[in-house]
Amino acid sequence: MRLKEVERQFLSEEEIQTMLEKELHTNRLEQVRYIFIFCCFTGLAYSDVKKLSKDNLVFGIDGDKWIKTKRTKTDTRSNIPLLPTALGIIKKYENHPEAVTKEVLLPVCSVSSVFSGSV
């Protein structure tokens, strides 16, 4: 078995800011943007964010909020500090009907519905 090294590309602060400032004309696209930004600020995959619940939010020994979860792809535990941007996104969607109904942290739509426009 060989370990394949992957070189990751990162978005610059300016690129993220441009995405945040972009005016979008539908709630669906705005929601997708914020979930993507949340992924950027936590390092979590879309599939991992989709399964997060309020039970995954904990206070760390530093007194700040963290996410404790088990990663879908690797089946490994992760402890992720929540930066202010990610916390703001959680706050923005804490009372979203889909998040409340499904008892998830964020209203993450399926990838197919994003591209089909059915969200």
PDB file of all heavy atoms in Angstrom, residues 76-94:
ATOM      1  N   THR A  76     -12.005   8.926  11.534  1.00  0.00           N
ATOM      2  CA  THR A  76     -11.158   9.387  12.636  1.00  0.00           C
ATOM      3  C   THR A  76     -11.861  10.515  13.388  1.00  0.00           C
ATOM      4  O   THR A  76     -12.650  11.268  12.821  1.00  0.00           O
ATOM      5  CB  THR A  76      -9.793   9.909  12.133  1.00  0.00           C
ATOM      6  OG1 THR A  76     -10.021  10.971  11.192  1.00  0.00           O
ATOM      7  CG2 THR A  76      -8.981   8.817  11.478  1.00  0.00           C
ATOM      8  N   ARG A  77     -11.556  10.624  14.666  1.00  0.00           N
ATOM      9  CA  ARG A  77     -12.131  11.684  15.496  1.00  0.00           C
ATOM     10  C   ARG A  77     -11.399  12.995  15.213  1.00  0.00           C
ATOM     11  O   ARG A  77     -10.189  13.007  15.007  1.00  0.00           O
ATOM     12  CB  ARG A  77     -11.995  11.333  16.966  1.00  0.00           C
ATOM     13  CG  ARG A  77     -12.828  10.139  17.350  1.00  0.00           C
ATOM     14  CD  ARG A  77     -13.325  10.291  18.791  1.00  0.00           C
ATOM     15  NE  ARG A  77     -14.341   9.312  19.081  1.00  0.00           N
ATOM     16  CZ  ARG A  77     -15.642   9.482  18.849  1.00  0.00           C
ATOM     17  NH1 ARG A  77     -16.064  10.585  18.302  1.00  0.00           N
ATOM     18  NH2 ARG A  77     -16.511   8.556  19.156  1.00  0.00           N
ATOM     19  N   SER A  78     -12.165  14.074  15.234  1.00  0.00           N
ATOM     20  CA  SER A  78     -11.597  15.408  15.027  1.00  0.00           C
ATOM     21  C   SER A  78     -12.136  16.371  16.064  1.00  0.00           C
ATOM     22  O   SER A  78     -13.324  16.340  16.394  1.00  0.00           O
ATOM     23  CB  SER A  78     -11.958  15.936  13.635  1.00  0.00           C
ATOM     24  OG  SER A  78     -11.309  15.218  12.636  1.00  0.00           O
ATOM     25  N   ASN A  79     -11.265  17.202  16.566  1.00  0.00           N
ATOM     26  CA  ASN A  79     -11.622  18.300  17.457  1.00  0.00           C
ATOM     27  C   ASN A  79     -11.207  19.579  16.751  1.00  0.00           C
ATOM     28  O   ASN A  79     -10.025  19.799  16.494  1.00  0.00           O
ATOM     29  CB  ASN A  79     -10.895  18.179  18.796  1.00  0.00           C
ATOM     30  CG  ASN A  79     -11.270  16.912  19.524  1.00  0.00           C
ATOM     31  OD1 ASN A  79     -12.431  16.522  19.545  1.00  0.00           O
ATOM     32  ND2 ASN A  79     -10.292  16.255  20.114  1.00  0.00           N
ATOM     33  N   ILE A  80     -12.191  20.423  16.437  1.00  0.00           N
ATOM     34  CA  ILE A  80     -11.945  21.589  15.597  1.00  0.00           C
ATOM     35  C   ILE A  80     -12.376  22.852  16.331  1.00  0.00           C
ATOM     36  O   ILE A  80     -13.556  22.991  16.682  1.00  0.00           O
ATOM     37  CB  ILE A  80     -12.722  21.456  14.275  1.00  0.00           C
ATOM     38  CG1 ILE A  80     -12.302  20.169  13.561  1.00  0.00           C
ATOM     39  CG2 ILE A  80     -12.521  22.677  13.384  1.00  0.00           C
ATOM     40  CD1 ILE A  80     -13.311  19.660  12.581  1.00  0.00           C
ATOM     41  N   PRO A  81     -11.447  23.784  16.532  1.00  0.00           N
ATOM     42  CA  PRO A  81     -11.839  25.049  17.170  1.00  0.00           C
ATOM     43  C   PRO A  81     -12.709  25.860  16.206  1.00  0.00           C
ATOM     44  O   PRO A  81     -12.469  25.874  15.003  1.00  0.00           O
ATOM     45  CB  PRO A  81     -10.503  25.745  17.426  1.00  0.00           C
ATOM     46  CG  PRO A  81      -9.562  25.158  16.436  1.00  0.00           C
ATOM     47  CD  PRO A  81     -10.036  23.758  16.181  1.00  0.00           C
ATOM     48  N   LEU A  82     -13.723  26.513  16.735  1.00  0.00           N
ATOM     49  CA  LEU A  82     -14.609  27.309  15.889  1.00  0.00           C
ATOM     50  C   LEU A  82     -14.136  28.763  15.862  1.00  0.00           C
ATOM     51  O   LEU A  82     -14.172  29.462  16.873  1.00  0.00           O
ATOM     52  CB  LEU A  82     -16.051  27.219  16.389  1.00  0.00           C
ATOM     53  CG  LEU A  82     -16.747  25.921  16.017  1.00  0.00           C
ATOM     54  CD1 LEU A  82     -18.080  25.795  16.745  1.00  0.00           C
ATOM     55  CD2 LEU A  82     -16.949  25.833  14.519  1.00  0.00           C
ATOM     56  N   LEU A  83     -13.718  29.185  14.693  1.00  0.00           N
ATOM     57  CA  LEU A  83     -13.307  30.566  14.487  1.00  0.00           C
ATOM     58  C   LEU A  83     -14.554  31.452  14.399  1.00  0.00           C
ATOM     59  O   LEU A  83     -15.652  30.960  14.137  1.00  0.00           O
ATOM     60  CB  LEU A  83     -12.476  30.670  13.215  1.00  0.00           C
ATOM     61  CG  LEU A  83     -11.178  29.845  13.234  1.00  0.00           C
ATOM     62  CD1 LEU A  83     -10.522  29.857  11.865  1.00  0.00           C
ATOM     63  CD2 LEU A  83     -10.222  30.383  14.286  1.00  0.00           C
ATOM     64  N   PRO A  84     -14.409  32.755  14.611  1.00  0.00           N
ATOM     65  CA  PRO A  84     -15.568  33.651  14.612  1.00  0.00           C
ATOM     66  C   PRO A  84     -16.445  33.556  13.354  1.00  0.00           C
ATOM     67  O   PRO A  84     -17.670  33.612  13.457  1.00  0.00           O
ATOM     68  CB  PRO A  84     -14.945  35.042  14.750  1.00  0.00           C
ATOM     69  CG  PRO A  84     -13.666  34.796  15.496  1.00  0.00           C
ATOM     70  CD  PRO A  84     -13.170  33.461  14.986  1.00  0.00           C
ATOM     71  N   THR A  85     -15.852  33.409  12.192  1.00  0.00           N
ATOM     72  CA  THR A  85     -16.639  33.309  10.960  1.00  0.00           C
ATOM     73  C   THR A  85     -17.520  32.073  10.982  1.00  0.00           C
ATOM     74  O   THR A  85     -18.708  32.138  10.650  1.00  0.00           O
ATOM     75  CB  THR A  85     -15.718  33.303   9.720  1.00  0.00           C
ATOM     76  OG1 THR A  85     -14.948  34.515   9.706  1.00  0.00           O
ATOM     77  CG2 THR A  85     -16.522  33.189   8.436  1.00  0.00           C
ATOM     78  N   ALA A  86     -16.969  30.931  11.379  1.00  0.00           N
ATOM     79  CA  ALA A  86     -17.745  29.686  11.446  1.00  0.00           C
ATOM     80  C   ALA A  86     -18.842  29.798  12.509  1.00  0.00           C
ATOM     81  O   ALA A  86     -19.975  29.362  12.281  1.00  0.00           O
ATOM     82  CB  ALA A  86     -16.824  28.503  11.748  1.00  0.00           C
ATOM     83  N   LEU A  87     -18.519  30.401  13.640  1.00  0.00           N
ATOM     84  CA  LEU A  87     -19.533  30.611  14.687  1.00  0.00           C
ATOM     85  C   LEU A  87     -20.674  31.502  14.190  1.00  0.00           C
ATOM     86  O   LEU A  87     -21.847  31.250  14.483  1.00  0.00           O
ATOM     87  CB  LEU A  87     -18.904  31.244  15.927  1.00  0.00           C
ATOM     88  CG  LEU A  87     -18.226  30.290  16.891  1.00  0.00           C
ATOM     89  CD1 LEU A  87     -17.423  31.062  17.930  1.00  0.00           C
ATOM     90  CD2 LEU A  87     -19.231  29.392  17.566  1.00  0.00           C
ATOM     91  N   GLY A  88     -20.330  32.517  13.426  1.00  0.00           N
ATOM     92  CA  GLY A  88     -21.340  33.410  12.872  1.00  0.00           C
ATOM     93  C   GLY A  88     -22.291  32.688  11.923  1.00  0.00           C
ATOM     94  O   GLY A  88     -23.497  32.957  11.904  1.00  0.00           O
ATOM     95  N   ILE A  89     -21.757  31.748  11.148  1.00  0.00           N
ATOM     96  CA  ILE A  89     -22.588  30.979  10.225  1.00  0.00           C
ATOM     97  C   ILE A  89     -23.530  30.062  11.005  1.00  0.00           C
ATOM     98  O   ILE A  89     -24.708  29.927  10.668  1.00  0.00           O
ATOM     99  CB  ILE A  89     -21.710  30.205   9.218  1.00  0.00           C
ATOM    100  CG1 ILE A  89     -20.983  31.206   8.309  1.00  0.00           C
ATOM    101  CG2 ILE A  89     -22.543  29.216   8.400  1.00  0.00           C
ATOM    102  CD1 ILE A  89     -19.889  30.618   7.445  1.00  0.00           C
ATOM    103  N   ILE A  90     -23.019  29.449  12.062  1.00  0.00           N
ATOM    104  CA  ILE A  90     -23.875  28.607  12.909  1.00  0.00           C
ATOM    105  C   ILE A  90     -25.016  29.456  13.484  1.00  0.00           C
ATOM    106  O   ILE A  90     -26.175  29.053  13.461  1.00  0.00           O
ATOM    107  CB  ILE A  90     -23.059  27.941  14.035  1.00  0.00           C
ATOM    108  CG1 ILE A  90     -22.121  26.885  13.445  1.00  0.00           C
ATOM    109  CG2 ILE A  90     -23.979  27.323  15.087  1.00  0.00           C
ATOM    110  CD1 ILE A  90     -21.111  26.329  14.429  1.00  0.00           C
ATOM    111  N   LYS A  91     -24.673  30.631  13.980  1.00  0.00           N
ATOM    112  CA  LYS A  91     -25.681  31.521  14.566  1.00  0.00           C
ATOM    113  C   LYS A  91     -26.713  31.940  13.515  1.00  0.00           C
ATOM    114  O   LYS A  91     -27.906  31.974  13.792  1.00  0.00           O
ATOM    115  CB  LYS A  91     -24.994  32.745  15.157  1.00  0.00           C
ATOM    116  CG  LYS A  91     -25.918  33.668  15.892  1.00  0.00           C
ATOM    117  CD  LYS A  91     -25.368  33.930  17.278  1.00  0.00           C
ATOM    118  CE  LYS A  91     -26.267  34.787  18.079  1.00  0.00           C
ATOM    119  NZ  LYS A  91     -27.252  34.045  18.842  1.00  0.00           N
ATOM    120  N   LYS A  92     -26.244  32.237  12.303  1.00  0.00           N
ATOM    121  CA  LYS A  92     -27.130  32.667  11.216  1.00  0.00           C
ATOM    122  C   LYS A  92     -28.210  31.625  10.926  1.00  0.00           C
ATOM    123  O   LYS A  92     -29.348  31.968  10.638  1.00  0.00           O
ATOM    124  CB  LYS A  92     -26.304  32.932   9.955  1.00  0.00           C
ATOM    125  CG  LYS A  92     -27.110  33.320   8.733  1.00  0.00           C
ATOM    126  CD  LYS A  92     -26.193  33.614   7.565  1.00  0.00           C
ATOM    127  CE  LYS A  92     -26.937  34.016   6.322  1.00  0.00           C
ATOM    128  NZ  LYS A  92     -27.713  35.237   6.429  1.00  0.00           N
ATOM    129  N   TYR A  93     -27.863  30.349  11.013  1.00  0.00           N
ATOM    130  CA  TYR A  93     -28.786  29.280  10.625  1.00  0.00           C
ATOM    131  C   TYR A  93     -29.351  28.481  11.800  1.00  0.00           C
ATOM    132  O   TYR A  93     -30.033  27.490  11.584  1.00  0.00           O
ATOM    133  CB  TYR A  93     -28.098  28.336   9.635  1.00  0.00           C
ATOM    134  CG  TYR A  93     -27.884  28.993   8.292  1.00  0.00           C
ATOM    135  CD1 TYR A  93     -26.615  29.406   7.890  1.00  0.00           C
ATOM    136  CD2 TYR A  93     -28.956  29.225   7.441  1.00  0.00           C
ATOM    137  CE1 TYR A  93     -26.424  30.022   6.659  1.00  0.00           C
ATOM    138  CE2 TYR A  93     -28.773  29.844   6.208  1.00  0.00           C
ATOM    139  CZ  TYR A  93     -27.505  30.244   5.830  1.00  0.00           C
ATOM    140  OH  TYR A  93     -27.323  30.859   4.609  1.00  0.00           O
ATOM    141  N   GLU A  94     -29.116  28.925  13.039  1.00  0.00           N
ATOM    142  CA  GLU A  94     -29.557  28.130  14.189  1.00  0.00           C
ATOM    143  C   GLU A  94     -31.065  27.925  14.256  1.00  0.00           C
ATOM    144  O   GLU A  94     -31.530  26.920  14.789  1.00  0.00           O
ATOM    145  CB  GLU A  94     -29.028  28.716  15.494  1.00  0.00           C
ATOM    146  CG  GLU A  94     -29.618  30.050  15.887  1.00  0.00           C
ATOM    147  CD  GLU A  94     -28.952  30.619  17.126  1.00  0.00           C
ATOM    148  OE1 GLU A  94     -28.200  29.907  17.818  1.00  0.00           O
ATOM    149  OE2 GLU A  94     -29.174  31.817  17.407  1.00  0.00           O
TER     150      GLU A  94
END
